[in-house]
C-alpha cells in the first residue's frame, strides 16, 4: 500500500508538470511524453521514484560535482603554492647550467620565447579578424595591419618555411635511423631470449678446490664524501665468498671532509680486526677525479701480485658469490678483458623519477649491453660492478684523466687493442638511483658530455687502429654518433624547436606519425624490459623529451670542449640501500646477500653505527632548497604558447602533445619531480605486522 501511495503521488506531480508544458504559452519548451509499458499499476513498482527521491538524486549529483570541483581547486591551489615556494626559495641552477655554453643556450631559448609570443599575438589578431579563413592579399588589403599580415604570409611561405622543412626532413631521417637501431636491438634481445644464449664459464668454484686454485683478486672501492653509503659497500665486499688470502680490498677515499675520512677509516679498521685484508688509501693531491684515484691505486707495488681487479662504486652491494660468478669466465679466455654485471636498484619504486630512470637503465642493460656483448663482444664499461684483467688495463694504457667518462675511455682503448668483453645479465649488483632531479641532471650532464670529449680524442686513433672495418664503423657510427650525438640532437631540435615553430609556420609540415605514433612505439619498445612500468609509459615519453635540453646542452659542451664538459659532481646518494629501506627490504628479505650484509652490519661491536646515523641525520636533516631551472621553464612557455596556436588551427594531436609536453617542462622547471612521500613510507612501516617481522624498522621510523 505504501508503494502504491508513492506511485499515485509521483503520478499526480508529473501530471501537473505535463499540464504546464502543454499550455499554449509554453511552446518553446520541449514536451516529452512518458508512457507506462503496462496498464497495471502494480507492475514494476520498484522502478518508480517520488519527487523527494528525485530531489535526493539531483542533490547527490550536485554533491559529486562539487566534490570534483573542490578536488580540482585544491590541486590547483596546491600546485600554485608549491610553485610559489619554489620561487621564494629559489637557488641558482647547477654548475653545469651556469656555464658559458648553458648561458648562451638560455639566451637563444629566451629569444625564441619572445619570438613565439610575438607571433601568437599576431595570429590572435588574424584569427579574430577572420584572416585565417580568407587570407588577405597585399593588393586587396585596406588596413595597415592587414597589409603587414599579407606580407608576413608571403615571407613565411617563400623564405622561412622551406629551410624549416629541410631541417625537419633531416631530423625525421635521423629519427627513423635511430628508431631502426632500437628495433634491431630489440630483435637481437628476442633472439637471445628465444635461443637462451648466455656466456658459460669454463669452470665453477664449488668449494672443493684448494686455495691456490683461486686467482688473486684486487677489489677497489673508490669514494668521495660518501658518508651515507660507505658502510654497506665495504661490508658487501668484505663478506665475499673468496679465500681471504687471495683477495685484497682497497678503499680509495678521496673525501675532503675530515669527519667522512675518520668514519671511513674507522670502518676499515673494524674489518681489519676481523681478519679481512683491507687497506685505506687517501690522496693528498686529488687530481683527475675518479680516474686519478684509480690510477693512483694501480701504481702500488703490490698490485703486480694480482691478476684481476673488481671495481665497485660506494653505493654498490655485490652479492657474496659475485667473484665466484664472474672470475670463472676468464678461465681459458686469454683475450677476455672485462666481465660486466647488471645493476639492480633498491629504490626504483621510491618516486616517479626513480621509476622513469629504471625504465631507461633496464633497456640499457637488458637490451643494449646484452646484445652488444653477445654479438660483437664489446660494450661500454659502466664504471662499476665489473671485473678487469689487470694485464688488459696495463696494455691499453691504464686509467687516463683526460675525460669525465674514464670507464668508457678504458673500454674503447681496450677494444681497439683487440680485447673482448662479456656481459652477465643474470648477475646483479644492488645500487641506488638518484632521487632528486638536481642529482639526476648533474649525472646526465656528465654521462652525455663525456662521450663527446672522448669521441674527439679517440676518433683518429679509431681510424688508425688495427681492427676490422666493421668494428671501426660500429664504434664511430653506432656507439658514438648515433647513440651519443644524434639522439640528443634530433630529440631536442625536433620536439622543442621544430614542432613549436611549425605551428607558426604551417607551410612546414611535421606529420602526426612523427609526433605521436613513432615515439609511442619506441616508448613501448623501451619499456618492454621493465613490464611493471607500463602504467608510466606516457610520463616516460614526456620526461625523455624534457631531458633532451640537458642532454643536448651536455653534448654540445663535450663536442666543442666548453667549460662545463670537464665538470665532475659526485651524484648525491641518500643511503637507501644502507638504511634498511623497508620497501626494498620486504622484497629482498629472502636474498642471502642482504641477510649476510645486514648481519655483519648489525653485529658491529663499535659505536660507529650510532655515530654514522648521527652524522647522516645532520646531513639529511637540512632543509631542502629547490632550484628553478630556467631553460626548462622557458621551453615550457614556448610549448604552451605553441599549443594555443595549434588550438586556433584545430590540430588535435599537435595540440595535445604540445600541451602535455609543456606541462612536463613546467613541472621539471619548478623542480616538482623527485620529491619523496615520507608519509607513505611511515604508514607502511608503522603497521604492527611489519614492525614485528622486522625489528630493525624501529630505528628507521625514528629517523623519519
Amino acid at each position: 500500500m505504501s508503494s502504491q501511495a508513492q506511485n499515485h503521488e509521483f503520478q499526480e506531480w508529473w501530471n501537473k508538470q505535463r499540464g504546464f508544458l502543454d499550455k499554449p504559452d509554453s511552446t518553446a519548451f520541449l514536451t516529452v511524453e512518458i508512457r507506462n509499458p503496462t496498464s497495471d499499476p502494480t507492475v514494476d513498482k520498484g522502478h518508480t521514484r517520488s519527487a523527494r527521491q528525485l530531489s535526493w538524486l539531483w542533490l547527490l549529483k550536485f554533491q559529486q560535482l562539487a566534490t570534483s570541483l573542490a578536488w580540482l581547486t585544491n590541486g590547483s591551489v596546491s600546485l600554485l603554492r608549491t610553485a610559489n615556494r619554489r620561487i621564494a626559495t629559489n637557488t641558482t641552477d647547477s654548475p653545469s647550467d651556469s656555464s658559458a655554453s648553458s648561458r648562451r643556450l638560455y639566451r637563444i631559448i629566451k629569444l625564441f620565447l619572445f619570438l613565439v609570443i610575438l607571433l601568437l599575438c599576431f595570429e590572435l589578431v588574424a584569427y579574430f579578424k577572420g584572416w585565417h579563413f580568407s587570407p588577405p592579399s597585399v593588393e586587396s588589403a585596406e588596413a595597415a595591419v592587414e597589409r603587414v599580415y599579407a606580407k608576413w604570409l608571403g615571407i613565411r611561405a617563400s623564405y622561412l618555411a622551406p629551410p624549416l622543412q629541410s631541417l625537419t626532413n633531416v631530423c625525421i631521417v635521423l629519427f627513423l635511423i635511430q628508431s631502426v637501431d632500437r628495433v634491431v636491438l630489440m630483435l637481437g634481445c628476442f633472439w637471445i631470449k628465444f635461443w637462451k644464449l648466455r656466456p658459460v664459464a669454463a669452470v665453477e668454484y664449488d668449494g672443493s678446490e684448494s686455495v691456490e686454485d683461486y686467482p688473486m683478486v684486487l677489489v677497489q672501492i673508490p669514494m668521495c664524501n660518501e658518508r651515507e653509503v660507505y658502510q654497506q659497500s665495504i661490508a658487501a665486499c668484505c663478506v665475499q665468498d673468496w679465500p681471504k688470502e687471495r683477495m685484497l680490498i682497497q678503499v680509495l677515499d678521496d673525501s675532503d671532509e675530515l669527519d667522512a675520512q675518520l668514519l671511513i677509516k674507522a670502518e676499515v679498521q673494524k674489518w681489519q680486526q676481523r681478519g679481512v685484508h683491507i687497506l685505506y688509501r687517501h690522496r693528498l693531491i686529488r687530481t683527475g677525479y675518479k680516474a686519478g684515484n684509480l690510477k693512483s691505486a694501480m701504481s702500488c707495488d703490490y698490485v703486480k701480485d694480482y691478476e684481476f681487479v673488481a671495481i665497485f662504486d660506494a653505493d654498490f652491494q655485490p652479492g657474496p658469490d659475485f667473484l665466484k660468478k664472474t672470475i670463472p669466465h676468464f678461465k681459458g679466455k686469454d683475450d677476455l678483458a672485462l666481465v660486466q654485471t647488471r645493476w639492480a636498484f633498491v629504490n626504483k619504486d621510491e618516486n616517479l623519477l626513480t621509476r622513469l630512470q629504471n625504465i631507461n637503465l633496464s633497456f640499457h642493460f637488458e637490451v643494449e649491453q646484452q646484445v652488444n656483448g653477445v654479438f660483437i663482444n664489446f660494450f661500454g664499461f659502466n664504471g662499476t660492478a665489473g671485473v678487469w684483467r689487470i694485464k688488459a688495463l696495463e696494455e691499453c694504457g691504464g686509467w687516463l684523466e683526460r675525460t669525465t667518462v674514464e670507464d668508457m675511455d678504458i673500454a674503447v682503448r681496450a677494444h681497439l687493442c683487440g680485447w673482448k668483453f662479456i656481459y652477465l645479465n643474470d648477475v646483479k649488483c644492488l645500487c641506488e638511483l638518484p632521487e632528486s632531479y638536481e642529482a639526476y641532471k648533474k649525472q646526465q650532464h656528465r654521462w652525455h658530455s663525456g662521450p663527446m670529449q672522448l669521441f674527439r680524442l679517440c676518433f683518429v686513433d679509431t681510424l688508425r687502429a688495427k681492427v676490422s672495418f666493421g668494428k671501426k664503423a660500429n664504434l664511430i657510427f653506432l656507439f658514438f654518433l648515433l647513440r651519443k650525438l644524434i639522439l640528443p640532437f634530433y630529440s631536442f631540435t625536433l620536439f622543442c624547436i621544430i614542432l613549436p615553430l611549425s605551428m607558426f609556420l604551417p607551410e612546414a609540415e611535421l606529420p602526426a606519425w612523427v609526433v605521436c605514433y613513432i615515439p609511442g612505439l619506441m616508448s613501448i619498445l623501451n619499456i618492454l624490459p621493465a613490464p611493471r612500468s607500463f602504467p608510466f609509459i606516457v610520463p616516460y615519453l614526456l620526461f625523455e623529451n624534457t631531458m633532451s635540453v640537458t642532454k643536448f646542452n651536455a653534448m654540445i659542451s663535450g663536442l666543442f670542449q666548453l667549460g662545463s664538459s670537464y665538470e665532475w659532481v659526485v651524484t648525491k646518494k641518500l643511503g637507501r640501500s644502507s638504511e634498511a629501506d623497508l620497501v626494498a627490504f620486504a622484497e629482498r628479505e629472502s636474498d642471502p646477500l642482504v641477510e649476510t650484509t645486514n648481519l655483519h652490519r648489525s653485529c658491529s661491536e663499535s659505536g660507529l653505527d650510532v655515530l654514522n646515523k648521527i652524522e647522516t641525520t645532520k646531513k639529511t636533516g637540512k632543509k631542502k632548497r629547490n632550484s628553478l631551472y630556467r631553460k626548462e621553464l622557458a621551453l615550457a612557455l614556448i610549448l604552451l604558447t605553441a599549443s594555443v596556436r595549434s588550438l586556433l588551427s584545430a590540430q588535435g594531436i599537435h595540440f595535445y602533445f604540445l600541451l602535455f609536453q609543456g606541462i612536463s617542462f613546467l613541472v621539471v622547471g619548478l623542480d616538482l619531480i623527485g620529491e619523496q612521500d615520507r608519509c607513505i613510507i611511515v604508514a607502511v612501516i608503522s603497521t604492527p605486522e611489519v614492525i614485528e617481522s622486522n625489528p630493525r624498522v624501529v630505528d628507521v621510523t625514528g629517523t623519519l
Side-chain angles (χ1 to χ4, degrees):
M1 295 296 294
S2 176
S3 61
Q4 184 75 10
Q6 291 179 1
N7 188 26
H8 289 311
E9 180 184 358
F10 174 78
Q11 190 68 37
E12 182 180 358
W13 173 80
W14 181 248
N15 290 336
K16 290 181 180 180
Q17 302 301 320
R18 289 189 58 192
F20 171 74
L21 294 174
D22 290 337
K23 292 180 180 180
D25 57 345
S26 61
T27 55
F29 290 89
L30 176 64
T31 303
V32 180
E33 181 178 0
I34 300 178
R35 299 179 181 274
N36 196 340
T38 176
S39 59
D40 188 358
T42 63
V43 178
D44 203 21
K45 296 178 182 179
H47 292 281
T48 59
R49 292 177 179 174
S50 65
R52 183 178 300 177
Q53 289 174 327
L54 288 175
S55 300
W56 280 107
L57 178 62
W58 285 108
L59 183 62
L60 179 61
K61 291 184 177 181
F62 176 77
Q63 183 180 5
Q64 292 175 345
L65 178 61
T67 303
S68 301
L69 292 176
W71 180 82
L72 291 174
T73 304
N74 291 335
S76 302
V77 171
S78 177
L79 179 62
L80 291 176
R81 287 179 177 176
T82 306
N84 183 55
R85 185 172 69 251
R86 295 294 190 267
I87 297 173
T89 61
N90 176 35
T91 60
T92 58
D93 289 343
S94 60
S96 60
D97 287 334
S98 60
S99 63
S101 63
S102 182
R103 289 195 298 269
R104 282 193 290 268
L105 179 61
Y106 177 60
R107 285 195 292 267
I108 294 174
I109 294 176
K110 283 199 302 182
L111 179 61
F112 186 33
L113 174 61
F114 174 77
L115 177 63
V116 296
I117 292 178
L118 182 64
L119 290 176
L120 178 62
C121 296
F122 203 30
E123 294 294 339
L124 286 174
V125 173
Y127 181 82
F128 289 112
K129 291 287 187 179
W131 297 337
H132 280 187
F133 307 101
S134 56
S137 62
V138 179
E139 294 78 12
S140 63
E142 299 179 356
V145 177
E146 191 174 2
R147 285 195 297 271
V148 171
Y149 185 75
K151 291 182 179 179
W152 160 247
L153 293 179
I155 291 174
R156 80 183 190 186
S158 302
Y159 300 102
L160 299 181
L164 181 62
Q165 186 65 59
S166 300
L167 180 60
T168 301
N169 296 336
V170 171
C171 289
I172 290 175
V173 171
L174 296 178
F175 184 24
L176 293 177
I177 294 175
Q178 199 271 336
S179 300
V180 171
D181 176 59
R182 289 295 175 101
V183 172
V184 171
L185 287 174
M186 286 301 304
L187 292 176
C189 185
F190 289 145
W191 184 268
I192 292 173
K193 296 295 183 183
F194 180 78
W195 293 106
K196 299 180 180 179
L197 303 178
R198 56 186 296 269
V200 179
V203 295
E204 291 185 3
Y205 294 108
D206 55 7
S208 60
E209 303 84 2
S210 61
V211 175
E212 288 73 17
D213 293 333
Y214 289 83
M216 297 288 287
V217 179
L218 182 67
V219 178
Q220 294 179 336
I221 313 175
M223 58 180 63
C224 180
N225 299 324
E226 309 278 4
R227 64 173 68 242
E228 294 85 4
V229 294
Y230 72 92
Q231 272 190 324
Q232 47 93 13
S233 61
I234 294 176
C237 293
C238 289
V239 300
Q240 284 294 307
D241 187 11
W242 199 261
K244 294 182 179 180
E245 56 270 30
R246 311 292 290 180
M247 179 180 68
L248 174 64
I249 301 174
Q250 287 180 320
V251 178
L252 312 177
D253 183 24
D254 257 6
S255 302
D256 56 1
E257 299 176 1
L258 181 59
D259 53 350
Q261 297 176 23
L262 295 177
L263 287 169
I264 297 171
K265 186 181 297 184
E267 183 72 13
V268 171
Q269 292 175 353
K270 179 186 73 176
W271 287 101
Q272 286 176 343
Q273 294 173 0
R274 297 181 179 180
V276 178
H277 292 183
I278 182 172
L279 298 175
Y280 174 85
R281 297 189 82 256
H282 178 74
R283 296 191 300 160
L284 297 178
I285 303 177
R286 300 170 58 249
T287 58
Y289 303 113
K290 182 180 176 181
N293 198 1
L294 294 172
K295 180 179 179 180
S296 174
M298 294 299 294
S299 64
C300 297
D301 293 336
Y302 54 79
V303 173
K304 65 179 182 296
D305 298 328
Y306 294 85
E307 186 177 358
F308 304 104
V309 55
I311 303 173
F312 303 101
D313 283 349
D315 59 318
F316 278 72
Q317 301 179 75
D321 56 353
F322 181 89
L323 294 179
K324 283 191 172 181
K325 288 183 177 180
T326 54
I327 297 296
H329 288 274
F330 289 95
K331 187 69 173 179
K333 301 175 183 176
D334 296 335
D335 58 347
L336 181 60
L338 169 67
V339 174
Q340 173 72 59
T341 63
R342 180 173 180 167
W343 298 1
F345 311 106
V346 297
N347 62 336
K348 62 183 179 181
D349 297 324
E350 184 65 26
N351 53 43
L352 179 60
L353 180 61
T354 57
R355 291 178 185 272
L356 300 180
Q357 293 179 68
N358 179 59
I359 296 173
N360 252 343
L361 291 173
S362 294
F363 182 87
H364 171 69
F365 285 105
E366 184 81 18
V367 181
E368 289 183 349
Q369 297 292 75
Q370 187 171 209
V371 170
N372 292 330
V374 169
F375 292 105
I376 61 177
N377 299 120
F378 167 72
F379 46 82
F381 175 45
N382 295 116
T384 179
V387 181
W388 277 91
R389 188 188 297 271
I390 295 180
K391 180 182 177 182
L393 290 177
E394 295 173 347
E395 183 178 313
C396 63
W399 299 103
L400 299 181
E401 305 169 10
R402 57 181 183 173
T403 71
T404 57
V405 284
E406 74 294 326
D407 46 5
M408 185 180 295
D409 186 7
I410 194 73
V412 169
R413 286 185 282 117
H415 179 59
L416 294 178
C417 290
W419 292 94
K420 295 182 179 180
F421 302 166
I422 283 181
Y423 174 72
L424 302 180
N425 190 58
D426 56 344
V427 180
K428 299 180 180 180
C429 191
L430 299 176
C431 64
E432 179 182 347
L433 291 166
E435 297 182 11
S436 68
Y437 178 71
E438 181 182 5
Y440 179 64
K441 185 175 183 179
K442 292 176 181 178
Q443 181 195 70
Q444 292 300 304
H445 185 274
R446 176 166 55 87
W447 284 6
H448 286 81
S449 65
M452 290 298 97
Q453 302 173 29
L454 182 59
F455 178 66
R456 289 175 57 98
L457 294 171
C458 70
F459 178 73
V460 177
D461 294 335
T462 303
L463 296 178
R464 295 176 179 175
K466 297 179 181 179
V467 295
S468 65
F469 176 79
K471 290 184 177 181
K472 293 180 182 180
N474 170 73
L475 192 61
I476 293 176
F477 178 72
L478 291 179
F479 187 76
F480 280 114
L481 293 182
L482 186 60
R483 298 167 188 168
K484 310 298 181 185
L485 189 148
I486 291 178
L487 176 59
F489 170 77
Y490 85 74
S491 181
F492 174 74
T493 306
L494 191 62
F495 296 109
C496 299
I497 302 297
I498 294 177
L499 179 58
L501 269 181
S502 65
M503 298 297 101
F504 298 96
L505 304 176
E507 292 82 3
E509 183 182 2
L510 186 61
W513 58 267
V514 177
V515 177
C516 180
Y517 303 119
I518 297 297
L521 178 60
M522 292 301 103
S523 298
I524 293 175
L525 292 181
N526 287 352
I527 214 169
L528 285 179
R532 290 180 55 190
S533 301
F534 262 100
F536 304 95
I537 186 169
V538 174
Y540 170 74
L541 173 61
L542 297 174
F543 183 70
E544 280 301 291
N545 291 333
T546 305
M547 285 302 299
S548 64
V549 61
T550 297
K551 297 176 181 179
F552 177 82
N553 181 49
M555 182 268 292
I556 294 297
S557 299
L559 187 62
F560 296 101
Q561 292 184 324
L562 303 178
S564 62
S565 62
Y566 292 96
E567 175 198 20
W568 178 289
V569 180
V570 177
T571 304
K572 179 65 178 176
K573 290 97 175 178
L574 298 178
R576 290 285 177 209
S577 52
S578 63
E579 292 294 342
D581 181 84
L582 298 185
V583 179
F585 181 82
E587 296 177 353
R588 299 181 282 118
E589 190 174 11
S590 60
D591 191 346
L593 160 63
V594 181
E595 293 180 353
T596 306
T597 304
N598 288 332
L599 175 62
H600 280 76
R601 292 185 56 208
S602 62
C603 65
S604 173
E605 298 175 358
S606 65
L608 293 174
D609 291 340
V610 178
L611 179 60
N612 180 61
K613 287 183 180 180
I614 294 175
E615 295 295 333
T616 303
T617 305
K618 290 180 181 179
K619 287 291 264 190
T620 58
K622 295 180 181 179
K623 186 177 180 180
K624 184 183 184 327
R625 294 181 62 84
N626 300 95
S627 299
L628 291 179
Y629 299 100
R630 300 175 301 173
K631 292 190 294 294
E632 285 80 357
L633 288 175
L635 285 168
L637 295 177
I638 290 173
L639 293 170
L640 293 176
T641 303
S643 69
V644 176
R645 175 62 182 88
S646 68
L647 185 63
L648 297 179
S649 55
Q651 293 177 299
I653 292 180
H654 295 75
F655 166 72
Y656 288 113
F657 184 88
L658 287 166
L659 176 63
F660 291 115
Q661 190 65 71
I663 294 174
S664 176
F665 268 101
L666 185 63
V667 169
V668 171
L670 293 174
D671 197 14
L672 299 178
I673 190 172
E675 294 296 325
Q676 303 160 18
D677 193 348
R678 292 289 191 178
C679 297
I680 296 178
I681 299 178
V682 173
V684 171
I685 65 180
S686 298
T687 57
E689 295 80 3
V690 176
I691 296 179
E692 182 178 359
S693 59
N694 302 290
R696 282 172 293 176
V697 168
V698 178
D699 294 336
V700 181
T701 57
T703 61
L704 289 178

